Amino acid sequence: MRIALIHALRHSPPPVEAAFARLWPEARLMSLLDTSLAADLAEAGALTPAMTERFLTLSRYAAGTGADGILFTCSAFGPCIEAVAAALAPMPVLKPNEAMIEEAVAGHRRLGLLSSFQPTLDSMPAEFPESVTLKLSLARGALAALDGGDVAEHDRLVVAAAAELGDCEAICLAQFSLAHCAEAVAALTGKPVYTTPDSAVRKMRRLLGA
């Protein structure tokens, strides 16, 4: 099986590749990276039709390489990814966070959602069912620290932001770039922690019957 991974942040490939190595090592991966997507979204402040067209272009290229499924790894572009899924049906096309949300809401009703990218917190809550109470936390400055190569400062800011979610039943880490902080967040809060890459790999494998 060939799985296409489409990224908008340069920090996303390593965690999802690690998740595949653990959970589905037989899958063949190909990656497309366009870092201008995240930068343009941050500048524009909202998704635009032009961004949707860019997602469609990337996904059609990925499909043309023989991909059996497509997994997007940036959680701020939900509507764009939905347009891709409609255009390429019945190919499995996954938003990065949908599988994590499904796993988290299966056992919890008060969830914390932690992100280091404000547009994610603007768009992603709408993807949770109304039956869930959601508390948001932004790790301010964490993404800038990661961009600057200071992983320790990134992780410190993420764990500090997680401390605000102590009254939740479980915590969802909204971005692939946060996945490596799961153990530290769990240790601090004592809560179950859900990550996007592990959940996404499990769902894609299930959908393709592999």
Side-chain angles (χ1 to χ4, degrees), residues 7-9 33-43 51 54 77:
H7 315 283
L9 293 171
L33 171 64
D34 181 356
T35 57
S36 69
L37 287 166
D40 291 348
L41 175 57
E43 182 178 348
M51 289 180 189
R54 289 162 67 184
F77 297 92

Side-chain angles (χ1 to χ4, degrees), residues 4 15 30-31 39 60 68 70 74 80 89 95 108 133 177 187:
M30 65 88 67
S31 285
R60 287 169 180 145
D68 297 290
I70 298 176
C74 188
C80 299
K95 289 184 280 190
H108 309 284
T133 300
S177 57

Side-chain angles (χ1 to χ4, degrees), residues 32-193:
L32 298 173
L33 171 64
D34 181 356
T35 57
S36 69
L37 287 166
D40 291 348
L41 175 57
E43 182 178 348
L47 297 172
T48 66
M51 289 180 189
T52 299
E53 284 303 316
R54 289 162 67 184
F55 269 74
L56 288 166
T57 298
L58 288 167
S59 63
R60 287 169 180 145
Y61 176 84
T65 70
D68 297 290
I70 298 176
L71 171 59
F72 289 88
T73 66
C74 188
S75 52
F77 297 92
C80 299
I81 300 168
E82 290 167 5
V84 171
L88 297 187
M91 176 187 286
V93 174
L94 295 187
K95 289 184 280 190
N97 34 310
E98 65 181 84
M100 178 187 69
I101 292 172
E102 291 169 2
E103 290 185 354
V105 303
H108 309 284
R109 285 295 173 264
R110 289 185 293 108
L111 293 171
L113 180 64
L114 194 157
S115 176
S116 61
F117 189 50
Q118 181 61 51
T120 295
L121 293 183
D122 295 337
S123 64
M124 190 170 164
E127 299 176 30
F128 285 79
E130 294 183 359
S131 59
V132 169
T133 300
L134 204 58
K135 185 174 182 178
L136 310 181
S137 181
L138 177 66
R140 298 184 186 279
L143 189 56
L146 194 60
D147 286 338
D150 193 342
V151 177
E153 176 65 3
H154 167 271
D155 295 359
R156 184 189 70 79
L157 292 169
V158 169
V159 172
E164 302 174 7
L165 303 174
D167 57 342
C168 299
E169 295 175 358
I171 296 172
C172 295
L173 300 183
Q175 293 147 250
F176 280 56
S177 57
L178 300 173
H180 72 274
C181 297
E183 289 187 9
V185 170
L188 175 76
T189 63
K191 310 292 182 182
V193 177

Side-chain angles (χ1 to χ4, degrees), residues 1 24 90-94 98 200-210:
M1 293 285 185
W24 191 8
M91 176 187 286
V93 174
L94 295 187
E98 65 181 84
V201 172
R202 284 191 288 267
K203 180 169 183 177
M204 181 63 79
R205 184 170 189 175
R206 185 172 68 252
L207 288 175
L208 289 171

